[in-house]
Amino acid sequence: MPAQVVVIGSFNIDHVWALPALPQVGQTLVGEYHTGPGGKGFNQATACARAGAATAFVCSLGSDAGGQVARELADADGIALHVQASVAPTGTAGIYVDAHGRNTIVIGAGANASLDVDFIGEQSTALAGAAVVIAQLESPAAAVEAGFRLARDAGAVTVLNPAPADALLSAGLLALSDVITPNESEFCAQLQRQQGLEVGADTVPGLDDAQLHRYCRALLPAGSVVITLGAAGCFVSHPQDQCRGDDDAHYRVGASPAKAIDTTGAGDAFNGALVASMAQFPARAFSRHVAFATSYAGRATERRGAAAAMPRQSPPAD
């Protein structure tokens, strides 16, 4: 069965410490340690597969224990792997999570940095068969851009999660994106880089909807923007002539109630569920895809971990 969604992205082995408060400079704290699979790409691929979509994952892995873990986990969830072998070690991440579920993360790219344009070109058949192609920026932007060009040529919807916030995003890649899904920090970072507009990330949830819509239109005039806002839900902005089945060009969706214990993979849960719903039910209004993704992300925060926390929950069939 051809993949309904192709994810281009990263795989990491996460090293996680849970502790009462996030460390300050010079502090030594005692915490509880665990390890597990992560990486924004793999998290999103896992969420997508567990939300019912046939999923392929294009990535680069080392020939080490971490790479073997990725292969075993992908097989367990029915994810079709397209792997570029790397001499670098498989990617890693160090994560601190406090008692409120908040986190700080440091990433070691490792093999993820090896994903290249030539390998992406070899995946043209898989990309051409997908309904949706999603990528993030933990992999080289040139590889992502090459993938989006192939996806666009084949008529797939391209979804870019422009994370992390300090990643370089070219105007060319942005123009190839039908939908972007930044959080408030990523949104403000790209708004400054692409448009020279200074907006404080902490002010975004409280901005007037009309003003926030104008900022979104400035950043991605021809595409849809979904800003994820944590406990404040999300904000959706469409071009006036392309509302993806919605009645309104901009609106907010509230967060789903959740007893959050770890928000590490919440954004990835949202993205994976969003594209899974889009691929399986392309005729539905975009707001229904967002509502499902919001609910799915809430459930993911109720378990510890990143990829391992993704629920097995498909969009409603009605």
Side-chain angles (χ1 to χ4, degrees):
M1 179 180 179
Q4 295 169 301
V5 177
V6 174
V7 182
I8 302 171
S10 56
F11 175 86
N12 293 328
I13 294 294
D14 289 347
H15 301 276
V16 185
W17 289 264
L19 59 172
L22 298 176
Q24 302 298 310
V25 174
Q27 280 189 319
T28 299
L29 301 176
V30 176
E32 295 182 4
Y33 170 81
H34 69 273
T35 186
K40 285 188 174 296
F42 191 73
N43 294 344
Q44 292 176 19
T46 301
C48 188
R50 293 183 180 181
T55 305
F57 181 45
V58 179
C59 63
S60 181
L61 301 172
S63 57
D64 52 15
Q68 185 57 34
V69 167
R71 290 173 171 86
E72 292 172 356
L73 292 173
D75 185 64
D77 274 312
I79 299 169
L81 275 185
H82 298 252
V83 177
Q84 179 174 2
S86 174
V87 296
T90 297
T92 55
I95 304 171
Y96 297 108
V97 182
D98 73 8
H100 302 286
R102 298 172 300 187
N103 62 72
T104 59
I105 303 173
V106 178
I107 294 168
N112 293 316
S114 302
L115 191 66
D116 63 32
V117 171
D118 290 342
F119 182 76
I120 293 295
E122 295 169 8
Q123 314 312 310
S124 58
T125 300
L127 291 163
V132 183
V133 176
I134 183 171
Q136 323 75 35
L137 296 174
E138 287 183 346
S139 301
V144 174
E145 185 167 342
F148 274 20
R149 288 190 186 281
L150 290 170
R152 272 282 188 86
D153 288 346
V157 176
T158 53
V159 179
L160 179 67
N161 177 218
D166 62 352
L168 296 177
L169 171 56
S170 70
L173 177 54
L174 195 60
L176 287 168
S177 304
D178 296 311
V179 180
I180 63 170
T181 58
N183 65 21
E184 56 265 60
S185 296
E186 294 151 3
F187 176 72
C188 291
Q190 296 305 331
L191 200 60
Q192 195 281 325
R193 290 185 188 123
Q194 306 296 331
Q195 298 294 322
L197 296 172
E198 296 280 355
V199 180
D202 58 343
T203 70
V204 171
L207 285 174
D208 173 81
D209 284 10
Q211 179 60 64
L212 192 50
H213 179 55
R214 284 192 288 271
Y215 285 143
C216 291
R217 294 303 88 228
L219 181 59
L220 194 69
S224 297
V225 181
V226 184
I227 309 173
T228 56
L229 301 169
C234 62
F235 179 83
V236 178
S237 169
H238 300 298
Q240 193 65 45
D241 60 348
Q242 178 53 274
C243 290
R244 299 189 175 276
D246 287 341
D247 294 330
D248 299 312
H250 63 84
Y251 55 89
R252 291 182 186 253
V253 176
S256 292
K259 296 180 180 178
I261 62 170
D262 186 354
T263 61
T264 302
D268 297 330
F270 180 93
N271 279 280
L274 179 71
V275 296
S277 183
M278 291 170 65
Q280 292 175 88
F281 301 99
R284 283 185 176 171
F286 192 75
S287 59
R288 292 195 62 188
H289 304 315
V290 173
F292 170 68
T294 300
S295 171
Y296 188 97
R299 287 194 60 200
T301 67
E302 296 179 334
R303 298 176 61 191
R304 293 200 182 278
M310 300 303 167
R312 299 186 184 277
Q313 175 189 352
S314 297
D318 57 305

